[in-house]
Amino acid sequence: MIEDLLRRLGIHDGHSGVWAGSWIDQPGGELIPSINPSTGEPIASIVGASIADYDRAVDRSLDAFRRWRTVPPPHRGEIVRLIGNALREHKDDLGLLVSLEVGKVRSEGLGEVQEMIDMADFAVGLSRQLYGLTIATERPDHRMFEQWLPLGPVGIITAFNFPVAVWAWNAMIAAVCGNSMIWKPSPQAPLTSLAVQHLVNQILSKTEYDGVFNLAVGGAELGARMADDERLPLVSATGSVAMGKAIAPRIAGRLGRSLLELGGNNGIIVTPRANLDLALRAVAFAAVGTAGQRCTTLRRLIIHESIAEGFVDRLAAAYRSFPIGNPWDEGVLVGPLISEAAVAAMLRAVEAAEAQGGEVICGGRRVDRPGFFVEPTLIRARADMPIVRQETFAPILYVMTYADLDEAIALHNSVAEGLSSAIFTDDLREAERFLSAKGSDCGIANVNIGTSGAEIGGAFGGEKATGGGREAGSDSWKAYMRRQTCTVNSGSSLPLAQGVQFPIAP
Ligand code: UN1
């Protein structure tokens, strides 16, 4: 079954179970295993890109950039449209591969591919809307305007948890903006990246723009090389806060641009005036969906003390009923964590929470079966427990109570990260307070919607330790272009700005 899937996606090598982790004929990097987290068994091995392979790939992307930047943006959009069509055609198989390699349940695997398709559609429309401003000038017979021009090869570093959707956020936009790119996927999701790159290659190889999209599978050493690489004017990186702190100073050190989408420690405030049925469903999906491995996952529930007990009882009942199992199977809602290390980190966090005075309400253990399965976990906690301030990439939800809304908002904002946030209330004043300048300090703030599952049309990203970058929709495209302010004099005199006089006898 797995073999058939890989064959249909064009990435089965026919015999040895070893795939090449880049476009390069004979990559010379390390052998990287692709592990099925539902069994702990290897699916295949991928030959990663060595630093020398990477360097060749960047040279190739520079060469492609020189041609691609001159293509009119709507024509670039045509190529992106073909990529979107190919993704539509292979949606089922790609979704299955995402489920197989990173353990997302079926509907989330498909949702991941849909997010790529949405990005392709968005980028096609955008290719006719890379608008600049016309600006009023103080000088007669002058015209001042802004134009947006391509940047160069963009480095794209993605994480295992959205192995291809986050690539699409960056790649689809970068492409219509006239950039080439080099993608370093997570070494924990190499097969999925190969499948997507293969689809793209099939389209691009029929054009003169082969080399616009490049792949180099590798680990932290490759990421560091990208950070230092002066040929990449922009490096867009998604991953942990620690990863961001490691690469951002290196990129800044060469005065390159970085676009960072790092961790979150997201909270939901539930007030006494909330629709609690709605809140319950939203909290459950946000905390347990993707087995707690989204950067937008709900990690802190801040609930009014008057409603906490009944709500937590109902939540715990829901937690105990979640079907855990093979993500390919219909009806399963909780798949595995990505790795043995992730299971260990989760168990360490539960232990630390208990040692710091937290009380496990339900879950907290590894599930006794092969693979990396854990129980969704609810922990009654206090805001001063250090573990609550730490993002553990697992389905652990800390429950805290509050008495006054300002206190709840202060508690909500007291963590290092600032990605996603929400309030559940039917009270307009409470909702508006949460959205005001005194409210949530996050890049995403929702009312009566959970913290995860953002649409691509908005700008996605967060403040503080989340890194400040914005990707996907709205005007995020501006990060992928260089802005040029142009002034044209169509008159026959040379008036200087600010009334400065500089007479020269001709
Ligand atoms: C991530 O976890 O890195 O809003 C991205 C969401 C998804 C994207 C998550 N659309 O949950």
Side-chain angles (χ1 to χ4, degrees), residues 382-454:
R382 286 186 330 272
D384 63 355
M385 288 166 43
I387 192 74
V388 171
R389 282 160 212 281
Q390 185 184 303
E391 178 194 35
T392 303
F393 230 53
I396 301 176
L397 179 61
Y398 299 108
V399 182
M400 290 162 283
T401 57
Y402 77 92
D404 161 77
L405 186 56
D406 284 337
E407 175 203 328
I409 292 173
L411 172 55
H412 173 272
N413 291 349
S414 67
V415 294
E417 300 86 350
L419 180 54
S420 187
S421 61
I423 190 168
F424 276 75
T425 180
D426 285 343
D427 182 315
L428 180 72
R429 275 196 209 103
E430 288 184 333
E432 289 293 335
R433 178 116 122 255
F434 186 71
L435 299 180
S436 76
K438 294 191 296 185
S440 161
D441 62 2
C442 291
I444 297 170
N446 295 333
V447 177
N448 296 334
I449 294 179
T451 49
S452 65

Side-chain angles (χ1 to χ4, degrees), residues 182-423:
I182 180 132
W183 175 23
K184 188 191 93 58
S186 163
Q188 288 175 305
L191 272 183
T192 310
S193 69
L194 281 194
V196 167
Q197 181 71 28
H198 179 68
L199 287 183
V200 172
N201 286 351
Q202 280 178 310
I203 294 163
L204 270 285
S205 61
K206 298 190 190 98
T207 71
E208 59 201 285
Y209 311 120
D210 212 10
V212 169
F213 294 83
N214 301 278
L215 176 72
V217 181
E221 196 198 343
L222 199 52
R225 170 75 185 113
M226 290 170 81
D228 292 341
D229 193 343
E230 302 214 333
R231 293 170 298 177
L232 306 182
L234 169 68
V235 177
S236 171
T238 301
S240 66
V241 173
M243 181 278 290
K245 285 186 172 168
I247 67 164
R250 301 177 81 131
I251 301 169
R254 61 173 172 90
L255 301 181
R257 280 195 213 171
S258 56
L259 199 168
L260 302 175
E261 198 260 288
L262 308 174
N265 190 345
N266 315 294
I268 289 184
I269 297 175
V270 181
T271 87
R273 279 173 283 286
N275 174 334
L276 294 181
D277 292 340
L278 209 66
L280 191 84
R281 284 169 48 202
V283 166
F285 172 65
V288 180
T290 329
Q293 298 173 108
R294 291 192 189 215
C295 57
T296 50
T297 291
L298 173 65
R299 313 215 175 270
R300 298 175 300 134
L301 174 64
I302 303 167
I303 183 162
H304 193 268
E305 57 191 16
S306 65
I307 50 170
E309 204 182 312
F311 189 85
V312 171
D313 284 351
R314 285 178 68 194
L315 194 59
Y319 265 57
R320 290 190 188 98
S321 73
F322 286 130
I324 304 175
N326 186 337
W328 285 31
D329 293 343
E330 280 305 321
V332 167
L333 292 183
V334 187
L337 293 183
I338 188 67
S339 64
E340 191 60 46
V343 174
M346 148 116 183
L347 298 177
R348 271 200 312 275
V350 172
E351 214 174 284
E354 284 184 305
Q356 292 166 21
E359 179 205 336
V360 175
I361 302 166
C362 63
R365 288 169 308 198
R366 179 180 202 141
V367 178
D368 184 19
R369 58 177 286 164
F372 312 126
F373 292 87
V374 294
E375 297 170 341
T377 301
L378 271 180
I379 297 182
R380 200 167 278 123
R382 286 186 330 272
D384 63 355
M385 288 166 43
I387 192 74
V388 171
R389 282 160 212 281
Q390 185 184 303
E391 178 194 35
T392 303
F393 230 53
I396 301 176
L397 179 61
Y398 299 108
V399 182
M400 290 162 283
T401 57
Y402 77 92
D404 161 77
L405 186 56
D406 284 337
E407 175 203 328
I409 292 173
L411 172 55
H412 173 272
N413 291 349
S414 67
V415 294
E417 300 86 350
L419 180 54
S420 187
S421 61
I423 190 168

Side-chain angles (χ1 to χ4, degrees), residues 138-158:
E138 65 193 57
R139 288 171 282 186
D141 296 328
H142 279 54
R143 184 164 71 88
M144 181 159 51
F145 59 95
E146 278 178 358
Q147 58 174 353
W148 295 87
L149 299 166
L151 263 185
V154 172
I156 303 173
I157 297 175
T158 57

